[in-house]
Amino acid sequence: MVSRRQILFALACAPFQAETGKFEITLLGTGNPRPEMDRFGPSILIEAGPQRLLVDCGRGATQRLFEVDGESHVLTSVDRVLFTHLHSDHVTGFPDLWLTGWLFGRKNAMRVWGPRGTASMIHNVERAYAFDVHTRRDLDEHLPAEGARIEVHDIAEGVIPNVAEGLKVTAFLVDHGPVKPALGYRVDYAGYSVAFSGDTRPSDNLVKYAQGVDVLIHEVLAPEVERRRAAMTDPAAIERVIAHHTTAEEAGKLFARIRPKLAVFSHIVPSVATESDVLPDARKYYDGRMVFGADRMTIRIGAEIEVKYP
C-alpha cells in the first residue's frame, strides 16, 4: 500500500506549472518575535509568472507555504530568499525552508541575498546542519546534492543582478535605528511593481525607491498597545523598540507622499494590535486604499489590484 508520505513526495516531484503572467503576493507571516499562532514570523511570497521568491523567512514560513498549496509545489519551487535584515524573527525559518524543501523534492540550490553579514550567517547554518545534509545526501535518501547547496550574496543598495528572469529587484537602505544595514526591496514585473519596507522608521529613502509602485507593503507599530502588551518589562527598552519602527500616523504620512494604489500593513507590532488600533490613525493623513494584513492574505497585482482574505 502506498503511504500518504509517498504520495505527497511524488506530487512534490511532479513538474510544476506556474500561471503565465501571474503577479501575486502572499503574506505568509505578518507578525514579529511574539510566537502567536495567528501571526507567524515575517515572510512574504512573491509569485511572478514562473518565478517564486521570499522576502524574509521568519518562523512558520515553511508551514504557511505548505498550507497555501497542500501538494507542496510552491514549497519545492521556492529557491530564492531576500533578507531585509538579520534579526532572528526574519531569518529563523530559513533552515526549515532550505532542508524541508529539499526533502520534499527541490533539486535546485537555494539562492540567498541580504545585507552585510548574510553570507556569514548562512555559512554557519550550513555547518549547523552538516550532519543532516550528509545523512540525507550520502547515506539514506540519497537526495540530489545540488538541492542542499546554498548560494549566498551580501548586497548593498541598487539593482540586484540575476535574481529571477523577468524581474527587476532593487534593494534600498532603510532606517531601522541601530540595526545596520537594513534593506527594503522593490520588485518590478511586467509593468507592475511592489515595494517592501522591511523594518524601518520613517525613511525618505523608502519614499524615493517606492515612488510610483502599485502596492506598498509596510511595517507598523501601535505604540500604546506595545506599551501595554510588550513581553519586555523594561520601559526604556520598549521605548527603544518603538523608536525604530513606524507608527500608523507616520505610515499615513509616508503613504501620502508615495501614493501607492494599495498600501498593506504587515509586520504588525505587537501581534495583538488590531485594525482599529492602526487604520484610523493612518487615515488622518492618507485617503487612499489601505488594508490591514493577515497571514495567508493574497494580493494579485494587475490592471486591477485584488485582495483575497484568508
Side-chain angles (χ1 to χ4, degrees):
M1 179 177 291
V2 179
S3 70
R4 181 175 181 273
R5 180 180 177 185
Q6 287 172 314
I7 293 171
L8 287 173
F9 188 81
L11 288 167
C13 295
F16 178 67
Q17 299 298 321
E19 183 180 337
T20 303
K22 175 181 180 179
F23 193 19
E24 189 167 280
I25 308 301
T26 301
L27 306 181
L28 300 175
T30 57
N32 50 71
R34 190 183 186 99
E36 294 280 354
M37 291 304 295
D38 57 349
R39 289 201 186 276
F40 282 14
S43 187
I44 301 172
L45 171 66
I46 303 170
E47 297 180 86
Q51 313 295 341
R52 286 177 169 65
L53 57 154
L54 295 188
V55 175
D56 288 328
C57 194
R59 179 191 297 117
T62 301
Q63 285 94 325
R64 285 291 191 233
L65 283 168
F66 196 74
E67 184 179 16
V68 300
D69 186 329
E71 294 182 352
S72 77
H73 288 144
V74 173
L75 171 60
T76 58
S77 66
V78 173
D79 57 8
R80 281 153 291 183
V81 178
L82 303 164
F83 286 124
T84 60
H85 63 294
L86 304 182
H87 264 154
S88 61
D89 56 317
H90 293 254
V91 305
T92 192
F94 177 78
D96 190 13
L97 175 70
W98 166 46
L99 295 170
T100 304
W102 178 47
L103 178 61
F104 271 75
R106 192 192 68 249
K107 297 178 175 64
N108 299 326
M110 289 295 297
R111 300 173 66 195
V112 178
W113 297 263
R116 184 180 64 248
T118 301
S120 176
M121 178 189 74
I122 292 299
H123 293 327
N124 280 299
V125 167
E126 290 178 300
R127 283 191 283 271
Y129 289 93
F131 177 88
D132 183 70
V133 170
H134 168 61
T135 302
R136 297 187 187 280
R137 181 190 59 205
D138 305 324
L139 304 178
D140 191 2
E141 292 98 329
H142 296 285
L143 299 178
E146 182 66 6
R149 192 172 67 82
I150 306 176
E151 178 185 312
V152 59
H153 307 271
D154 283 359
I155 58 171
E157 187 169 87
V159 175
I160 309 171
N162 304 319
V163 173
E165 185 176 351
L167 272 69
K168 178 183 177 183
V169 180
T170 306
F172 54 88
L173 291 168
V174 295
D175 183 358
H176 194 24
V179 183
K180 299 179 186 294
L183 300 173
Y185 292 99
R186 174 175 175 146
V187 177
D188 290 86
Y189 175 72
Y192 300 104
S193 55
V194 57
F196 307 89
S197 73
D199 281 17
T200 184
R201 52 192 175 191
S203 167
D204 289 338
N205 204 44
L206 182 144
V207 174
K208 171 185 171 182
Y209 278 91
Q211 203 64 236
V213 294
D214 294 283
V215 176
L216 171 61
I217 299 178
H218 202 287
E219 68 125 82
V220 68
L221 181 144
E224 293 310 315
V225 184
E226 176 71 0
R227 291 181 180 112
R228 292 196 309 268
R229 299 296 300 275
M232 294 177 292
T233 57
D234 179 1
I238 294 171
E239 294 305 315
R240 286 196 297 272
V241 169
I242 293 171
H244 55 258
H245 287 281
T246 301
T247 68
E249 291 190 357
E250 291 169 334
K253 294 175 182 178
L254 289 172
F255 299 165
R257 296 171 64 190
I258 296 168
R259 303 301 305 184
K261 292 179 182 176
L262 173 68
V264 181
F265 285 112
S266 190
H267 195 292
I268 292 155
V269 183
S271 299
V272 293
T274 66
E275 185 171 317
S276 62
D277 295 315
V278 171
L279 292 191
D281 284 341
R283 188 60 71 195
K284 295 175 186 176
Y285 300 96
Y286 185 58
D287 59 1
R289 188 180 177 194
M290 288 188 295
V291 296
F292 191 68
D295 285 20
R296 297 174 288 115
M297 174 183 283
T298 60
I299 303 117
R300 179 164 287 211
I301 306 172
E304 301 292 331
I305 298 174
E306 304 172 25
V307 177
K308 181 179 178 181
Y309 290 82

